[in-house]
Amino acid sequence: MGMKMTSTTFASATVNVLPAITFIMALTFRLESVNWKKFHSVAKVIGTVITVSGAMVMTLYKGPAFQIIKGGGAIEHHGGAANDEPSEQNWVMGTVYLISSCCSWAGFFILQVSIAN
């Protein structure tokens, strides 16, 4: 049910942002600190910005359609009344579900670190 509420592109991009979400949550909970004089701290921030930027480009860019199989007979669409495109409300709920899933997953990683230490 949840996968019909958003696009596969958005789902893939959101899951790929999981390390950035984990880093931001760790900063929020003061489990991670950024020292601008240390190279590894600056690298983490730059990596987070690049990750989020790449996910945004991947989600928002509407390029030409990529077709693996050319021709009309190979893939049939059994359309009609049932439309595979999610409605506007489903897009909103799908986005909320995906972001909350990634935040929960990141929270689980943070919980594991605090339990292990």
Side-chain angles (χ1 to χ4, degrees):
M1 179 176 135
M3 288 304 295
K4 292 183 180 180
M5 294 182 152
T6 188
S7 71
T8 53
T9 303
F10 183 73
S12 175
T14 304
V15 171
N16 287 330
V17 177
L18 182 63
I21 293 172
T22 306
F23 177 66
I24 292 169
M25 286 179 69
L27 282 175
T28 304
F29 295 132
R30 297 181 190 255
L31 299 172
E32 187 78 37
S33 62
V34 176
N35 184 354
W36 292 103
K37 295 178 183 176
K38 301 273 185 172
F39 177 73
H40 69 277
S41 289
V42 175
K44 287 180 188 179
V45 172
I46 291 172
T48 301
V49 170
I50 290 172
T51 301
V52 172
S53 300
M56 288 176 61
V57 167
M58 186 175 147
T59 303
L60 299 175
Y61 176 70
K62 300 290 183 195
F66 180 70
Q67 292 182 337
I68 296 174
I69 300 173
K70 301 244 182 207
I75 299 174
E76 293 183 24
H77 179 65
H78 301 288
N83 189 3
D84 290 340
E85 289 295 318
S87 69
E88 188 68 31
Q89 183 178 6
N90 287 347
W91 276 93
V92 172
M93 288 308 297
T95 301
V96 169
Y97 289 158
L98 276 170
I99 291 174
S100 64
S101 170
C102 284
C103 288
S104 299
W105 200 358
F108 178 68
F109 290 149
I110 290 171
L111 182 66
Q112 282 182 332
V113 168
S114 29
I115 289 174
N117 289 335

